Amino acid sequence: MKQEFCTIAAFEFVADVQIVKGKLESEGIPVFLRDENTLNSDPIISNAIGGVKLQVYTKDRERAIAIYNDIRSYAADDKGKLIVCPNCKAQKSEVYYDRKGIFYKLFPFFETRKYKCTNCNMITRP
């Protein structure tokens, strides 16, 4: 029987994914980290390959997402207050980059920061 995986989230740094991995495994969900060893050997290419992918079996997807949503951290402004979505007023936004165009793919640090609401998927600028 072939078991398929699904990606729950991607992380820029290997250290960031370890916290989520530990929580999911403590809840009995097997976790697989795609591209972990690649980024351990060369962390500079993280943006080029899309970071470390946190994967679980498809049958565990819903439960893993629920656990991840309970422990994930959301974007905050310079004063430490959570970013509020202007559309749905939720405080569940994450930093978001389009990376459209070859320039921003090669030099992602020049792209202006945007926020994507995880509740309604609206993208806003600060």
Side-chain angles (χ1 to χ4, degrees):
M1 179 176 157
K2 181 181 173 186
Q3 293 190 355
E4 295 187 20
F5 302 103
C6 63
T7 301
I8 300 299
F11 297 83
E12 184 175 358
F13 302 108
V14 175
D16 294 342
V17 74
Q18 296 298 331
I19 296 167
V20 180
K21 178 185 178 200
K23 176 63 176 172
L24 291 174
E25 287 179 339
S26 73
E27 297 285 336
I29 299 173
V31 174
F32 306 92
L33 301 178
R34 188 168 156 215
D35 296 327
E36 175 188 24
N37 292 331
T38 303
L39 293 181
N40 277 333
S41 63
D42 190 1
I44 294 174
I45 64 168
S46 181
N47 286 332
I49 65 172
V52 181
K53 286 74 157 186
L54 176 74
Q55 296 184 324
V56 298
Y57 288 119
T58 305
K59 66 180 178 70
D60 296 325
R61 182 179 186 275
E62 296 302 320
R63 198 163 68 107
I65 290 173
I67 293 168
Y68 175 58
N69 285 338
D70 284 342
I71 65 169
R72 74 196 301 179
S73 59
Y74 295 102
D77 62 12
D78 294 335
K79 297 178 183 176
K81 294 182 180 180
L82 292 175
I83 302 294
V84 177
C85 174
N87 186 42
C88 68
K89 307 300 183 215
Q91 294 181 325
K92 295 183 176 187
S93 294
E94 294 180 321
V95 176
Y96 176 79
Y97 295 102
D98 291 326
R99 294 206 167 79
K100 290 184 179 174
I102 190 73
F103 180 77
Y104 291 124
K105 288 180 182 177
L106 293 172
F107 306 104
F109 43 84
F110 284 119
E111 187 175 356
T112 57
R113 179 179 294 168
K114 294 178 264 326
Y115 299 101
K116 182 176 183 178
C117 178
T118 60
N119 191 43
C120 69
N121 291 325
M122 182 176 184
I123 299 170
T124 58
R125 294 177 189 246

